[in-house]
Amino acid sequence: DGGITQSPKYLFRKEGQNVTLSCEQNLNHDAMYWYRQDPGQGLRLIYYSQIVNDFQKGDIAEGYSVSREKKESFPLTVTSAQKNPTAFYLCAGGQQGTGELFFGEGSRLTVL
Amino acid sequence: GQQLNQSPQSMFIQEGEDVSMNCTSSSIFNTWLWYKQDPGEGPVLLIALYKAGELTSNGRLTAQFGITRKDSFLNISASIPSDVGIYFCAGRANTNAGKSTFGDGTTLTVKP
């Protein structure tokens, strides 16, 4: 099986705790992305990385952090500074030239 | 930042009917993409458009890249129950270094 693998699919955390969502890909994509989705809304970009050891903030980066130590992996940490962390988080990979994105199945985070 | 207006927000149709949805932007895009998202899953790419005026089909789906490069539409012919889901448009400008902007989605319900 190949593609973009996100884990866990469901996650419950208490307020004030940091949470790390995993995203792994075996598609050899240069670029990887993290999006947040809230009910009835489109996808909002949190962070993206076009190359190993480099990443840029998206439109809603506050309260989140990422790393890109390996091409295959782009984990997202939701920190306690994120005021409203309950959401559906989507990781995607893609090649630079096309703009086409391949998404994982998502991770649903609920903060109690 | 760039914004996409996607309409309609939702559609309730009878099986067998045709469907049309569109996206407009205040700025120019060089790539338009259409995705479908099933409940609890990540979006899946349906059609990618790279040239103004381009008309592309994928089975019962047809999408066009507007001549002004500020709009795109997606048509679904002879809808079937498995067409149910959320359809997202996304636009990408070369100046955005790989970032795509997503519309808020059109939720399609097909009644058998």
Side-chain angles (χ1 to χ4, degrees):
Chain A
D1 256 7
I4 308 287
T5 303
Q6 289 186 240
S7 64
K9 193 160 175 67
Y10 299 95
L11 189 58
F12 295 86
R13 279 293 181 266
K14 290 183 180 176
E15 204 171 315
Q17 290 183 326
N18 288 0
V19 167
T20 297
L21 307 179
S22 168
C23 180
E24 303 282 325
Q25 59 114 349
N26 62 3
L27 300 172
N28 202 33
H29 285 157
D30 294 318
M32 295 186 77
Y33 306 80
W34 274 105
Y35 287 89
R36 171 183 170 136
Q37 185 176 26
D38 294 286
Q41 295 190 30
L43 280 62
R44 293 184 290 168
L45 184 64
I46 304 172
Y47 267 99
Y48 65 105
S49 168
Q50 295 175 282
I51 196 169
V52 175
N53 292 323
D54 189 39
F55 48 83
Q56 286 80 39
K57 291 182 180 179
D59 301 317
I60 55 164
E62 186 176 346
Y64 299 98
S65 66
V66 293
S67 62
R68 186 87 186 276
E69 296 175 4
K70 298 185 301 182
K71 189 175 186 178
E72 300 80 17
S73 180
F74 192 42
L76 173 75
T77 297
V78 185
T79 75
S80 56
Q82 167 51 233
K83 291 185 173 56
N84 185 18
T86 294
F88 190 50
Y89 291 89
L90 287 158
C91 179
Q95 295 296 7
Q96 295 290 14
T98 66
E100 298 171 15
L101 297 179
F102 297 87
F103 286 87
E105 293 194 341
S107 293
R108 187 168 298 280
L109 171 64
T110 302
V111 174
L112 308 170
Chain B
Q2 294 169 319
Q3 287 189 331
L4 288 185
N5 293 311
Q6 185 171 351
S7 65
Q9 191 173 14
S10 60
M11 302 183 76
F12 295 83
I13 62 166
Q14 207 70 37
E15 184 177 357
E17 289 182 357
D18 296 343
V19 171
S20 185
M21 59 191 78
N22 69 83
C23 272
T24 59
S25 170
S26 56
S27 52
I28 288 171
F29 287 119
N30 292 309
T31 304
W32 281 98
L33 307 118
W34 286 92
Y35 295 84
K36 182 194 177 199
Q37 184 179 31
D38 291 328
E41 303 287 331
V44 173
L45 181 66
L46 298 173
I47 293 179
L49 303 157
Y50 297 103
K51 218 159 77 165
E54 181 181 354
L55 185 72
T56 298
S57 292
N58 178 7
R60 293 178 295 105
L61 277 60
T62 302
Q64 183 156 33
F65 191 142
I67 286 289
T68 65
R69 296 202 285 162
K70 292 183 178 182
D71 62 339
S72 177
F73 72 75
L74 175 71
N75 285 345
I76 305 173
S77 62
S79 59
I80 59 178
S82 63
D83 290 335
V84 164
I86 305 175
Y87 291 80
F88 290 101
C89 64
R92 182 172 176 254
N94 286 347
T95 54
N96 272 2
K99 296 194 305 181
S100 292
T101 301
F102 281 79
D104 284 346
T106 296
T107 300
L108 179 64
T109 303
V110 179
K111 292 180 261 186

